[in-house]
């Protein structure tokens, strides 16, 4: 996951109020790294939804 994806995911989580996940970004990225599957929906080049 590159820095752009991390920024977009962080912003997405913040936008829906999931601040428990954004308080510790390292833990959030570790959770993504440990996910067996992830898909995302992009709109105009930005992540607007994801499933993991």
């Amino acid at each position: 996951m590159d820095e752009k994806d991390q920024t977009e995911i962080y912003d997405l989580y913040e936008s829906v109020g999931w601040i428990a996940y954004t308080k510790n970004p390292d833990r959030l990225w570790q959770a993504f790294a440990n996910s067996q599957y992830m898909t995302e929906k992009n709109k105009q080049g930005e992540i607007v939804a994801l499933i993991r």
Side-chain angles (χ1 to χ4, degrees):
M1 176 180 312
D2 65 20
E3 188 174 324
K4 180 181 182 294
D5 287 341
Q6 286 183 343
T7 299
E8 290 181 19
I9 291 169
Y10 184 91
D11 291 346
L12 179 63
Y13 272 54
E14 286 273 306
S15 75
V16 294
W18 292 350
I19 59 172
Y21 296 98
T22 58
K23 286 181 182 178
N24 187 342
D26 290 334
R27 188 169 159 201
L28 178 61
W29 310 137
Q30 187 62 45
F32 274 92
N34 291 332
S35 297
Q36 291 182 350
Y37 180 80
M38 182 181 124
T39 188
E40 61 190 48
K41 175 68 176 164
N42 293 291
K43 183 176 181 182
Q44 298 176 338
E46 291 188 28
I47 298 172
V48 295
L50 62 87
I51 299 171
R52 69 174 187 89

